[in-house]
Amino acid sequence: MEKKITSFALLVIATCHHGYSQEWSFDDCLDYAREHNISLRQSALNEQTSQYSLEESKAEWQPSLDFSTTHSVTNTPWSEGRNTAYNSNYGLSAGWTVWNGGKRENNIKRAKIQTSIDALSTLDRFRNIETELLSAYINVLYNKESIAIYEEAVKLSEAQAERARQLMEAGRMSRVDYAQLQSQYEQDRYNLVNARGTYDSRRMELKRLLELGIDSDITLKDVEWTADEVLAQLPPIEQSYAMALANDAQLQSAELQKQMADVDLAIAKSGHYPTVSLNAGVSTGYFSDGPGFGSQMKQAFNENVGLSLSIPILDKKKTKTATAKANIQRINAELDEQSRRNDIAQNVESWYIDLQASQARYVAGTEKVVSASLSNDLVNEQFNLGLVNTVELMTAHNNLLEARHSLLQAKYMAMLGHKMIEYYRTTNITMP
């Protein structure tokens, strides 16, 4: 465990100060995002704020204690005696609410629920970041492998163009046919440049999610998925939906929102009840025209204790309005919960449909690549013998290129579907 923490610390230092040049795994991305994502850190600060609010609510059970002192100078310019007098008072006062309709207890309950809601909000935010990182991570891997396909296509079209040049110089091919193959070569080079540009753009999107600076670079570890992994059988959709409901942070938050609405309703109704308070205090004072300071302070010293009862009669509809708002809040929480259940159902079903379609395209794509490869090899042999024209050669070349890209896209879409379904089932994403 210590080795893992040390390795990650070195990763952070390298990224922040020198740019990260080693290869990132998906777990590296998650660990870095957990520590550096700005929205996640802001959500953590909200958690801290709710903790302080909870402490404040618990402190309502404590009595209040205040010290007060007043000092004044009085001037009477036309009096026959002393014109100026100094007066001072000193006092300690304490107060404690004996009962206020259960408002204190409910405020503590509400603060505890809010703390749990904020914690779930942080968890949900991280899970969203996790799925965003997954999509970006797989997109980068896809574009990286796409570059390899274009590089191979460039090598092949370059060899064909060179062979065409030799045939043209030998008088066995027209200049027009040579120009077509040379144009195919240039087109493949252009496609390769575009693929590299797209790859850099996808890496930039991943860097943005990780909050990496402009001076940092990122290279991902290669991930190999077998055909068996791509075509792995899907678990029952009903089971996945049930697990997604049980693990979803937003649903748990909606349930807490309903509980909070009930507490708010109780707090609002407490406005109908009287408040009982206990008060006590000690005070003394000094007047400059009286006896000595010590004597006056002793003689003026007094103590008081009292019990007050406050009964609400009219409160400008504050209690009635607060009660209505609490009822509306609970209805909203129930609607949020229902909406979230519908969203989860649609998302799970959508990923199942997309995954099944991708698996079908992968099976068809595998056969298409084999067929296109055989056709391309045959056409190339015939071209070298001068038995086919350039149009047939270019057609076979482009068909193979398209087949490889379709297969590659189907593979990565299928694996993205597998990982998303895994996430909905377990709230965890595993990556080799």
Side-chain angles (χ1 to χ4, degrees), residues 162-222:
E162 177 60 25
R163 175 58 178 165
R165 185 187 64 79
Q166 295 173 359
L167 292 175
M168 181 190 67
E169 293 176 349
R172 297 172 55 190
M173 177 176 286
S174 68
R175 184 173 294 275
V176 173
D177 289 337
Y178 166 70
Q180 288 179 331
L181 292 178
Q182 183 65 26
S183 175
Q184 177 67 59
Y185 168 58
E186 297 298 339
Q187 181 62 47
D188 287 340
R189 288 181 59 192
Y190 177 79
N191 291 339
L192 176 59
V193 171
N194 275 345
R196 287 172 175 166
T198 303
Y199 171 67
D200 290 337
S201 296
R202 297 298 173 263
R203 286 198 305 159
M204 183 185 68
E205 292 174 3
L206 183 58
K207 285 173 57 179
R208 178 183 57 80
L209 289 173
L210 293 172
E211 309 289 354
L212 289 173
I214 194 172
D215 58 341
S216 301
D217 194 12
I218 183 169
T219 302
L220 304 186
K221 289 182 178 180
D222 290 330

Side-chain angles (χ1 to χ4, degrees), residues 295-366:
S295 177
Q296 282 197 55
M297 293 288 284
K298 181 178 179 180
Q299 293 177 9
F301 181 82
N302 65 88
E303 302 169 327
N304 67 84
V305 63
L307 189 68
S308 64
L309 174 66
S310 175
I311 301 176
I313 299 176
L314 295 174
D315 64 351
K316 300 178 182 180
K317 292 188 176 181
K318 290 182 179 179
T319 301
K320 182 178 180 180
T321 302
T323 302
K325 288 181 178 179
N327 286 323
I328 293 174
Q329 180 183 342
R330 197 181 202 291
I331 295 173
N332 273 332
E334 292 174 350
L335 292 175
D336 288 341
E337 181 181 17
Q338 182 180 347
S339 176
R340 182 57 182 169
R341 286 178 178 273
N342 293 337
D343 289 342
I344 292 175
Q346 292 174 6
N347 291 338
V348 170
E349 185 177 11
S350 176
W351 280 112
Y352 266 77
I353 293 173
D354 290 345
L355 175 52
Q356 290 169 342
S358 297
Q359 288 178 325
R361 287 196 298 269
Y362 182 81
V363 173
T366 302

Side-chain angles (χ1 to χ4, degrees), residues 223-290:
V223 179
E224 294 293 335
W225 284 302
T226 64
D228 290 338
E229 290 177 297
V230 175
L231 300 175
Q233 186 176 1
L234 279 67
I237 187 172
E238 295 82 5
Q239 183 189 73
S240 297
Y241 175 59
M243 294 175 70
L245 292 178
N247 294 324
D248 188 69
Q250 290 188 37
L251 274 181
Q252 296 171 23
S253 179
E255 180 61 34
L256 290 177
Q257 290 284 358
K258 291 194 295 183
Q259 296 179 23
M260 181 180 288
D262 293 336
V263 174
D264 285 340
L265 183 61
I267 293 173
K269 289 182 177 179
S270 67
H272 293 297
Y273 300 109
T275 300
V276 181
S277 301
L278 180 65
N279 304 289
V282 294
S283 63
T284 186
Y286 167 75
F287 186 64
S288 61
D289 285 343

